[in-house]
């Protein structure tokens, strides 16, 4: 799973002598003095943790009942997959339809503008830390190899049946040694508690490894899958992915697996209107006023991920495109004031203003 780390880009902008900050929509190909920034649109990074469960019969599975009285040992390999966890994380990416240029003139108290490397507004007259996803730690487990614990006599046996018999005897001998140590009746008792612990652990490892030759090997592997969604509108029962018992998590179009569904509900729907929404008209009207900055007031979305048996995730998160674009008056940057403003690079909202 690979995550994108946002870093800082500090643009120092000179302060000259009198008037207000002007903001205009950015037109590709037009070069103007100032800082061009964009508002973010929110994507959703979905991380799926799946478990692969496999069973491999042991070499001596036929003799498990005869020598160890184990009656429930399977002789058939098995494999299955299950989803253990689903998590989501909002991520801000530049919205090319909401890009603007800050132009400086006299007496503007905008001293510096901080952007992410891809141009999302982070801060004005302040320093902000961009969103940094947390890494996921994985722990590798060492698999026991029964061959490492076989005695020379077992390895030299002339048949599988004889090897199984000698291995079972070795297992019982190990159990007897463990019992003697715990009762204080061993021929060579350890001198302290730490030595006793180490000896018992080593004997337990030997017993487990040799027993695997009869019971078989069960392995559980954790696999992580990441996908990115662009929630532009509500959806209902959309197939997000599929889960196959042989292939694990597969694409939504792969019919080898059972579907896992996605619901996205806009918790702040705009009022219904017959007239189409056109932000350019709104921006043009605001440009005639002494305006300074555009920012977002994000909306909220309910995200649900589920299949026919289980709901894996049901959360609400802020989504910038489900909210609105608002204007911050340029008067706060005049009359000697130099406010510090910090923005959320994921949603475009104002986090702090001083």
């Amino acid at each position: 799973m690979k995550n994108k780390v946002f870093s800082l880009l500090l643009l120092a902008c000179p302060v000259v002598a009198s008037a207000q900050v002007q903001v205009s929509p950015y037109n590709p190909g037009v070069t103007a003095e100032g800082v061009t920034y964009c508002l973010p649109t929110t994507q959703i990074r979905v991380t799926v943790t799946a478990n692969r469960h496999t069973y491999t019969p042991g070499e001596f599975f036929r003799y498990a009942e005869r020598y160890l009285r184990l009656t429930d040992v399977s002789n058939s390999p098995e494999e299955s997959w299950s989803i253990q966890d689903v998590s989501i994380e909002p991520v801000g990416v530049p919205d090319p339809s909401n890009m603007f240029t800050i132009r400086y003139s006299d007496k503007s108290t905008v001293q510096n503008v901080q952007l992410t490397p891809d141009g999302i507004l982070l801060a004005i007259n302040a320093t902000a830390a961009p969103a940094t996803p947390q890494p996921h730690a994985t722990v590798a487990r060492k698999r026991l190899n029964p061959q490492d614990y076989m005695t020379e006599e077992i390895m030299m046996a002339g048949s599988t049946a004889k090897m199984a018999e000698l291995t079972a005897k070795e297992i019982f001998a190990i159990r007897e040694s463990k019992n003697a140590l715990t009762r204080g009746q061993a021929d060579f008792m350890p001198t302290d508690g730490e030595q006793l612990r180490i000896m018992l652990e080593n004997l337990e490892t030997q017993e487990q490894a040799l027993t695997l030759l009869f019971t078989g090997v069960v392995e559980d592997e954790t696999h992580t899958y990441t996908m990115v969604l662009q929630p532009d509108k509500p959806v209902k029962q959309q197939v997000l992915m599929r889960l196959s018992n042989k292939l694990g998590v597969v694409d939504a179009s792969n019919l080898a697996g059972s579907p896992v569904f996605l619901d996205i509900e806009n918790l702040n729907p705009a009022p219904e209107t017959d007239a189409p929404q056109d932000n350019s008209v709104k921006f043009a009207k605001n440009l005639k006023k002494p305006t300074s900055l555009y920012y977002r007031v994000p909306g909220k979305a309910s995200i649900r991920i589920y299949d026919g048996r289980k709901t894996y995730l049901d959360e609400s998160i802020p989504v910038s495109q489900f909210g609105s674009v608002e204007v911050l008056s340029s008067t706060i940057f005049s009359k000697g004031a130099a406010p510090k403003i910090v923005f959320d690079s994921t949603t475009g909202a104002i986090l702090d203003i001083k």
Side-chain angles (χ1 to χ4, degrees):
M1 173 178 69
K2 296 183 180 180
N3 295 326
K4 179 180 179 182
V5 179
F6 293 106
S7 59
L8 302 182
L9 177 63
L10 186 63
L11 302 178
C13 303
V15 179
V16 211
S18 118
Q20 295 173 332
V21 180
Q22 296 179 348
V23 175
S24 61
Y26 172 70
N27 296 314
V30 176
T31 57
E33 295 182 359
V35 178
T36 298
Y37 71 94
C38 56
L39 301 180
T41 184
T42 304
Q43 292 183 344
I44 299 175
R45 181 183 289 119
V46 181
T47 301
V48 180
T49 303
N51 180 69
R52 181 189 181 214
H53 178 86
T54 57
Y55 167 73
T56 305
E59 184 179 351
F60 305 147
F61 73 87
R62 292 183 179 87
Y63 308 97
E65 184 175 1
R66 180 189 303 179
Y67 294 124
L68 297 182
R69 296 294 186 266
L70 299 175
T71 58
D72 56 350
V73 175
S74 173
N75 61 355
S76 302
E78 298 174 5
E79 180 178 358
S80 63
W81 285 79
S82 60
I83 295 176
Q84 300 300 304
D85 181 66
V86 177
S87 62
I88 56 175
E89 177 188 13
V91 178
V93 296
D95 182 357
S97 64
N98 283 297
M99 191 174 292
F100 307 96
T101 300
I102 300 176
R103 295 184 178 86
Y104 294 90
S105 49
D106 303 345
K107 286 191 176 178
S108 167
T109 57
V110 175
Q111 298 169 358
N112 60 68
V113 178
Q114 185 181 349
L115 309 176
T116 64
D118 46 9
I120 296 175
L121 185 61
L122 268 180
I124 291 180
N125 297 336
T127 301
T132 305
Q134 297 298 316
H136 296 275
T138 56
V139 179
R141 296 180 59 185
K142 186 177 179 180
R143 176 179 172 180
L144 287 176
N145 183 6
Q147 304 292 331
D148 296 338
Y149 302 94
M150 284 185 171
T151 64
E152 182 180 1
E153 185 181 8
I154 295 173
M155 299 293 290
M156 297 298 292
S159 66
T160 302
K162 187 62 177 177
M163 291 179 70
E165 179 184 354
L166 294 174
T167 301
K169 289 181 178 180
E170 183 70 14
I171 291 173
F172 287 121
I174 292 171
R175 290 176 181 176
E176 289 177 3
S177 297
K178 287 165 57 179
N179 289 334
L181 283 171
T182 55
R183 293 170 182 168
Q185 300 172 352
D187 294 337
F188 300 98
M189 287 299 297
T191 57
D192 56 38
E194 180 62 17
Q195 282 189 349
L196 175 61
R197 183 188 66 81
I198 293 173
M199 291 177 67
L200 288 173
E201 282 186 356
N202 288 336
L203 289 171
E204 181 67 25
T205 300
Q206 293 176 42
E207 181 183 350
Q208 288 181 6
L210 294 176
T211 303
L212 291 177
L213 291 167
F214 294 91
T215 61
V217 178
V218 174
E219 288 187 286
D220 288 291
E221 299 175 355
T222 299
H223 295 254
T224 302
Y225 304 85
T226 302
M227 57 198 77
V228 177
L229 308 176
Q230 179 69 44
D232 292 323
K233 60 182 180 180
V235 296
K236 188 73 172 176
Q237 283 193 326
Q238 175 180 309
V239 178
L240 174 66
M241 57 187 172
R242 292 179 183 269
L243 183 66
S244 166
N245 264 342
K246 294 295 183 183
L247 305 175
V249 176
V250 296
D251 188 78
S253 59
N254 191 334
L255 300 182
S258 302
V260 176
F261 300 104
L262 168 71
D263 288 353
I264 299 179
E265 180 185 357
N266 185 352
L267 300 179
N268 304 95
E272 294 186 4
T273 175
D274 295 334
Q277 294 185 353
D278 188 353
N279 283 336
S280 62
V281 175
K282 174 183 176 182
F283 295 152
K285 290 181 180 179
N286 284 325
L287 287 173
K288 297 178 182 179
K289 304 175 184 179
T291 58
S292 59
L293 286 176
Y294 291 103
Y295 67 97
R296 282 195 183 272
V297 176
K300 218 169 190 184
S302 172
I303 312 294
R304 184 169 175 255
I305 297 174
Y306 59 98
D307 59 19
R309 298 169 298 174
K310 182 179 179 180
T311 296
Y312 300 106
L313 180 136
D314 192 352
E315 292 183 16
S316 297
I317 61 170
V319 173
S320 58
Q321 56 269 34
F322 285 0
S324 60
V325 176
E326 302 298 334
V327 181
L328 192 63
S329 173
S330 65
T331 56
I332 66 170
F333 295 111
S334 60
K335 299 179 182 179
K340 298 179 180 180
I341 309 174
V342 177
F343 300 87
D344 188 330
S345 62
T346 301
T347 65
I350 294 176
L351 293 178
D352 189 30
I353 182 168
K354 297 179 181 177

